[in-house]
Amino acid sequence: MLEKNKNRLIILSLLLYELLVVLFAYKIKTSAGLFSLLPILTISWYYGVLPSVIVSVFFFLLNYINFFVLINVSQVQTPDVFAGFLQLVIAVVVGLAGTFQRKFLKVNRELQEKNEYLSSAINIKNQAENRLVEKLEHIRIITKISSDFINIHPLQIELRIKSTLEMIATLIGAERGYIFTESDNKSLELINEYACPNCVPLSKKISRIETGQFEDILVTLRNGAYIEVNTAFWKSPLKNAFDTVKVIFLPLLSNEKLIGFAAYDSKNENKNWDKEYIELLMLSTHAISNAIQRKKSDDKITAQYNELSLKSIELVQSNREMKKLNQKLTDISKELYESEKKFRELAENLEDVIWLQEGRKFLYINPAYERIWGSKRELLYERANDFIDKIHPDEKRVMVKEFVYHDYDREGIFQKEFRLVDAKGDIKWIYAKAFPIAKINGSYRVAGIAQDITLRKKVEEEIKKALDKAIELNQLKSRFISMVSHEIRTPLTTIQTSAEILQLYRNKLTKSETETHFNNIFKSIDSMISMLNDITSLSKSDMQEVQLKYESIDVYEKVYELAENFKLLKNKDVIVDLKGGRFTAELDPKLFSQVAYNIISNAVKFSPAVNKVWITLVARENEFSLTVKDEGIGIPEYDLKDIFNPFFRASNAVNYNGTGLGLAIVKRWTEALKGKVEIKSKLNKGTTVTVTFPIRRRD
C-alpha cells in the first residue's frame, strides 16, 4: 500500500511539473517540448515503456494545445512534430532500459538471497559438524571415564576420581571441582577435589557441610536435577566458605537416592555453563557415583572377607580346642560318678536347701527342705507347688510369678528374699538363689540353694534400729548445739551490753534508764532459765525420771489463768471458750500447765499481734480436749512429720526466737498423762493444736 501511494505521489508530482512547464511556455510564447523530456525520462526509467508512451502522448497533446491553440499558431511546425516523435522514441528506449535494469536488479537480488541462504546453510552445517565432533568427544570422554572406573582396582578409585574432576573442570573451563558424600543423616563430607594451580582448594575453607545449611540446594538435587548458583544472590551461610562466583551442583544418585553431589565453580562473573556440557557433566557424575558405590561395596566385601578369614582361623583353633575338650570330657566323665557320689554325701548333710529342677519338675532336693519348710520331700516330687503353699500370704502372689516366669536369658541368676510360714506357724526369712546349668529341649535345668536367714534379718533389724537411734541422737546433738549457741548467746549478749552500760554510765543514767537495763538483764536470765528448764524437763522424760503427782484440778481455771497472763504480758487477745460447763480432771497440774502453756505460747508467738487466739475446752464422758487455734504463719506441710522432734524448728520459723523443744515437751507430757496430741496447719493460714486427756487417772 505504501509503495502504491509512493508511485501515485511521484506521478502527480511529474504531472504538476509538466503543467508548470506548459504554463511557463505559454508565458514566453514558445514550445515546452524539451522541458517535458525530464518527467518522460523519469517515468520511462522507473515505470517502463507503456507508461512512458502514454505520458509522452499526453505531454505532446499538452504542448500542441499550448503551442497551436493558446499561442494562435496557424500550423504545425516540422521541428515540433519531430520533437514530439523524438520524445516518444527516447521514452521507449529509456523505458526498455529501465525495464532491463529492474529485471537485472531483481535477478541480482535473488542471486544475493540464494548466496546468503547457501552461506547460512554452510554455517549451520559447520556448526552441526562441530557439535557432532564435540558430542563424539564427549562420548569418548564418558566412555573412557566409565571404562577406567570399571577396569581400575578399587584402591585406585579415589585417584581416578580426582583425575576425572581435573579433566572435566579443564574441559568446561572451571577452576575447581569437588565431591561431597553423606557421612551421616545430618552432614556431607568432602571426599575428593581438584583445584587449578593458582586456586585455593575448597578443603582449606570447609570439609563438612551440615545438611540444614544446604537444604535449598539438596531439595533440587534429590529430584535428580542439577542447579546453577550465582553466589552473589546466594543467601546460604556457606557462601563465604565456597569463595567463588558461579557454581554448578550435580546430584550423585544411587538407586534414585541422593548420596552426595559433585560441583564445579568459577570466579568468572560472565561464566555460563553451556548446555552442550550439561549432559557430559551429568553422565560423568553418574559414572563417579557408580565408582563411589563400587568402592563402598568393595570395602564392605573386603571387611567381610577379613572377618571371615579371622573367623576361619578362630574356627581352626576352636576345632583344636574342641579335641582337647573332648579328651578332657572323657577324663571328666570317669570322675563324674565319684563326684556325684561325693555331692550327695555333702548335700544330704548341708543345713541349706539344695535343689535341682527342670522346667517345673523337681529332680532333686536335699533333706534340709523338710527341716526348714516342715514338709516332706516326697510331696514336692509329686506336686511341684507344695513349697509355694508355705510362702507368707503377703508375698505368695509375687513370689509365684517370680519363680515361674523368671527369664534366665534376660535377667540372669534368680535371687530373692521372702518369708514363709512353717508347720508350727513360725515366720522364717529365706534367701533363695537359682541359676541355669543346662538348656534341654527349650527348658532350663536349674540348680538352686535356699538359706534360712531369719537370725540375720533379726540382727539386721536391731542394727538398723541402733543406727537410726544413733543418727537421731547425732541430729539431736547438732540441733542442741546450734540451739544452745544461739539461744544462750542472745541473752548473754543482752546481759553483757546492759551490764557494761551500767558499769560505765551509771552516774549519768536516769533511774528509769537504769531500771530498763536491769529489766533487760532479768528478762535474759529468765529466758535462759526457761530454756534450761525445758531441756531438763525433756531430759527427765527421756530418762523416765518423772514422778507423776495426780490431783483433781479445775481445768478451766488453769487454762483461763494462763490466757489472762498472756493478755497482760504479751498484750494479746486470747479468747477462752468452754463447751458444756466447768469440770475437774485427775492430772499432774505441773505437767498439764506446761503442756497448755507451750501450746498457747506458740500460738501467741507465731501469729500477728492484731490477730486473736482461740482456746476451746470440751468435756466428754471419759475425756476432755483442749484446742488452741491461731491465724499465724502456719507450718509447711513437709515439716509436719518432724514437728514433735526435739530441737526441730519449722523452716519458716528461723526469724522467731525459740529452742524447738516446746512441741516435743507437749508430746512427751501428753503421752505421760495417757493423752494424745494432734496438729493441723496450713501455711500462712494458721495452726490448730488439740490435746486430749482422760478425765480419770489411768495407771
Side-chain angles (χ1 to χ4, degrees):
M1 189 70 181
L2 291 174
E3 187 66 26
K4 288 182 179 180
N5 291 335
K6 179 181 176 183
N7 293 337
R8 290 171 183 171
L9 183 61
I10 292 172
I11 293 172
L12 289 174
S13 299
L14 293 174
L15 292 175
L16 180 61
Y17 168 78
E18 182 61 25
L19 183 59
L20 292 174
V21 168
V22 171
L23 292 176
F24 177 73
Y26 171 75
K27 186 72 175 174
I28 62 173
K29 300 191 183 297
T30 184
S31 173
L34 293 176
F35 295 102
S36 301
L37 187 59
L38 178 60
I40 292 172
L41 292 177
T42 301
I43 292 173
S44 299
W45 181 260
Y46 285 104
Y47 298 101
V49 176
L50 183 60
S52 63
V53 171
I54 295 171
V55 171
S56 297
V57 173
F58 177 71
F59 285 170
F60 178 79
L61 292 176
L62 283 178
N63 192 34
Y64 175 80
I65 294 169
N66 173 54
F67 191 77
F68 293 101
V69 177
L70 297 177
I71 305 176
N72 296 320
V73 177
S74 59
Q75 58 182 359
V76 178
Q77 297 291 327
T78 300
D80 295 319
V81 174
F82 178 75
F85 179 74
L86 184 60
Q87 285 180 355
L88 181 60
V89 172
I90 291 172
V92 170
V93 172
V94 172
L96 290 173
T99 300
F100 287 130
Q101 191 268 347
R102 283 193 301 277
K103 288 185 178 181
F104 174 77
L105 291 176
K106 181 178 180 182
V107 171
N108 189 42
R109 279 196 304 273
E110 290 177 353
L111 289 174
Q112 287 179 350
E113 290 176 356
K114 289 181 179 180
N115 286 334
E116 290 175 357
Y117 174 76
L118 288 174
S119 298
S120 175
I122 291 170
N123 289 335
I124 292 171
K125 177 188 175 185
N126 291 335
Q127 292 175 0
E129 289 177 349
N130 291 335
R131 284 196 296 271
L132 182 60
V133 171
E134 289 179 356
K135 188 76 172 179
L136 292 173
E137 179 64 15
H138 293 172
I139 293 172
R140 185 191 68 78
I141 291 171
I142 292 300
T143 303
K144 184 177 184 305
I145 292 172
S146 300
S147 63
D148 287 347
F149 281 132
I150 292 172
N151 300 323
I152 199 171
H153 191 276
L155 295 177
Q156 296 179 328
I157 285 178
E158 289 188 2
L159 291 175
R160 182 60 65 185
I161 290 175
K162 186 177 182 67
S163 64
T164 300
L165 289 173
E166 180 179 359
M167 179 172 62
I168 298 297
T170 304
L171 179 65
I172 66 174
E175 296 167 2
R176 297 186 302 187
Y178 33 86
I179 292 175
F180 282 81
T181 58
E182 285 187 342
S183 60
D184 51 46
N185 292 330
K186 296 182 179 179
S187 63
L188 298 162
E189 183 179 6
L190 178 66
I191 64 165
N192 215 320
E193 66 173 329
Y194 159 76
C196 67
N198 297 323
C199 300
V200 178
L202 183 64
S203 57
K204 298 284 186 181
K205 297 287 187 70
I206 187 171
S207 61
R208 184 180 293 272
I209 297 173
E210 300 299 326
T211 54
Q213 299 175 317
F214 209 64
E215 192 61 31
D216 54 340
I217 302 298
L218 294 178
V219 169
T220 302
L221 297 181
R222 288 192 187 102
N223 293 325
Y226 69 91
I227 182 171
E228 300 180 41
V229 175
N230 186 336
T231 58
F233 306 102
W234 197 20
K235 296 181 179 180
S236 173
L238 301 172
K239 175 179 178 180
N240 294 331
F242 276 83
D243 189 25
T244 188
V245 177
K246 295 290 187 70
V247 190
I248 183 169
F249 296 96
L250 304 116
L252 292 174
L253 300 173
S254 176
N255 296 325
E256 298 183 355
K257 180 183 178 182
L258 186 71
I259 62 170
F261 68 86
Y264 301 89
D265 65 32
S266 174
K267 288 190 175 182
N268 183 0
E269 295 182 357
N270 298 320
K271 176 66 179 176
N272 290 317
W273 310 102
D274 295 336
K275 292 184 178 180
E276 290 78 5
Y277 290 119
I278 297 298
E279 184 178 2
L280 171 65
L281 292 173
M282 293 294 287
L283 290 172
S284 65
T285 304
H286 179 68
I288 291 172
S289 176
N290 290 337
I292 291 172
Q293 290 301 106
R294 179 194 164 193
K295 187 175 186 306
K296 287 183 178 179
S297 300
D298 287 341
D299 290 344
K300 187 175 181 179
I301 292 171
T302 302
Q304 292 176 345
Y305 174 77
N306 293 335
E307 185 178 356
L308 288 174
S309 298
L310 292 174
K311 292 290 184 183
S312 63
I313 294 171
E314 292 175 0
L315 186 59
V316 171
Q317 294 176 347
S318 298
N319 287 333
R320 292 174 182 172
E321 293 176 0
M322 187 66 70
K323 290 180 180 179
K324 294 179 181 179
L325 287 173
N326 287 334
Q327 182 61 40
K328 192 173 182 179
L329 286 173
T330 302
D331 297 337
I332 291 173
S333 63
K334 294 177 182 179
E335 302 172 0
L336 184 60
Y337 176 76
E338 293 296 328
S339 297
E340 182 180 356
K341 190 175 180 180
K342 292 178 181 179
F343 166 76
R344 284 188 174 273
E345 290 177 356
L346 177 64
E348 298 291 326
N349 294 285
L350 281 177
E351 293 186 358
D352 297 334
V353 177
I354 295 176
W355 78 87
L356 186 67
Q357 71 180 88
E358 185 175 319
R360 298 186 182 183
K361 181 181 179 181
F362 281 89
L363 305 177
Y364 171 78
I365 190 163
N366 68 342
Y369 174 79
E370 297 180 355
R371 178 177 55 80
I372 295 176
W373 257 259
S375 182
K376 294 293 183 180
R377 288 188 292 170
E378 289 75 11
L379 294 177
L380 190 62
Y381 293 136
E382 296 173 2
R383 195 172 68 89
N385 290 336
D386 183 68
F387 83 99
I388 294 175
D389 294 340
K390 298 294 192 297
I391 296 177
H392 195 283
D394 293 343
E395 300 175 5
K396 183 179 292 186
R397 183 176 180 183
V398 174
M399 291 309 302
V400 168
K401 182 178 179 182
E402 293 288 343
F403 274 121
V404 175
Y405 298 107
H406 184 78
D407 188 347
Y408 289 99
D409 289 325
R410 185 170 58 86
E411 301 176 31
I413 296 174
F414 171 87
Q415 297 184 82
K416 292 293 177 184
E417 292 182 359
F418 58 93
R419 293 172 297 168
L420 63 82
V421 182
D422 65 11
K424 297 179 181 179
D426 295 332
I427 296 176
K428 296 180 180 179
W429 274 97
I430 304 297
Y431 169 71
K433 182 177 181 180
F435 50 89
I437 57 176
K439 194 171 187 178
I440 302 172
N441 298 325
S443 179
Y444 275 112
R445 176 169 289 184
V446 177
I449 183 169
Q451 296 174 303
D452 184 351
I453 59 170
T454 304
L455 181 60
R456 192 186 80 186
K457 279 290 184 179
K458 290 180 179 178
V459 172
E460 287 178 355
E461 185 65 25
E462 291 175 1
I463 292 173
K464 184 177 183 301
K465 289 179 179 178
L467 181 59
D468 291 343
K469 187 67 175 177
I471 293 172
E472 182 182 359
L473 290 174
N474 189 52
Q475 291 175 346
L476 287 174
K477 176 184 174 183
S478 299
R479 292 177 191 164
F480 175 75
I481 293 172
S482 175
M483 180 274 298
V484 169
S485 64
H486 179 269
E487 294 299 324
I488 291 182
R489 185 185 297 112
T490 300
L492 284 177
T493 302
T494 302
I495 293 170
Q496 182 181 12
T497 302
S498 296
E500 288 176 352
I501 292 173
L502 290 171
Q503 183 181 14
L504 295 174
Y505 304 104
R506 58 188 171 185
N507 295 328
K508 298 180 181 180
L509 295 174
T510 65
K511 184 178 180 180
S512 175
E513 291 173 337
T514 302
E515 289 179 355
T516 298
H517 287 293
F518 277 119
N519 288 333
N520 289 339
I521 293 172
F522 295 145
K523 287 180 180 177
S524 298
I525 293 172
D526 289 340
S527 175
M528 288 191 292
I529 291 173
S530 175
M531 178 189 68
L532 293 174
N533 288 336
D534 286 344
I535 294 173
T536 303
S537 179
L538 189 66
S539 176
K540 287 181 178 180
S541 70
D542 285 336
M543 298 172 65
Q544 297 181 349
E545 294 180 357
V546 179
Q547 298 295 326
L548 299 178
K549 297 179 181 179
Y550 283 93
E551 295 179 12
S552 180
I553 64 172
D554 188 330
V555 177
Y556 175 77
E557 182 180 348
K558 283 284 186 184
V559 173
Y560 184 78
E561 181 181 348
L562 289 172
E564 288 299 311
N565 288 338
F566 278 105
K567 285 182 182 180
L568 294 173
L569 296 175
K570 303 294 184 180
N571 193 24
K572 186 76 171 180
D573 191 1
V574 182
I575 301 171
V576 181
D577 184 14
L578 177 62
K579 302 286 187 181
R582 297 177 69 161
F583 60 93
T584 59
E586 294 180 359
L587 298 168
D588 186 314
K590 184 177 178 181
L591 297 188
F592 175 74
S593 295
Q594 192 166 4
V595 168
Y597 176 85
N598 287 355
I599 297 173
I600 299 170
S601 176
N602 280 350
V604 172
K605 182 194 300 184
F606 294 111
S607 61
V610 296
N611 288 6
K612 297 178 181 180
V613 173
W614 289 270
I615 302 174
T616 304
L617 279 170
V618 179
R620 299 178 186 86
E621 184 177 354
N622 296 317
E623 62 183 18
F624 74 92
S625 62
L626 167 65
T627 302
V628 180
K629 180 180 178 183
D630 65 65
E631 296 177 339
I633 62 174
I635 303 171
E637 184 177 355
Y638 52 82
D639 285 338
L640 286 173
K641 65 182 185 301
D642 299 317
I643 202 66
F644 292 112
N645 293 337
F647 305 110
F648 179 82
R649 305 196 70 206
S651 56
N652 62 336
V654 293
N655 295 324
Y656 295 85
N657 292 328
T659 62
L661 296 173
L663 288 177
I665 292 172
V666 167
K667 184 174 177 62
R668 297 286 178 86
W669 291 160
T670 300
E671 291 176 349
L673 295 171
K674 309 301 181 183
K676 58 184 179 180
V677 60
E678 181 183 4
I679 186 168
K680 296 179 181 179
S681 184
K682 287 188 177 180
L683 191 62
N684 298 322
K685 297 292 185 180
T687 302
T688 301
V689 180
T690 300
V691 288
T692 304
F693 297 98
I695 292 179
R696 297 289 172 260
R697 174 179 176 176
R698 294 178 185 172
D699 294 329

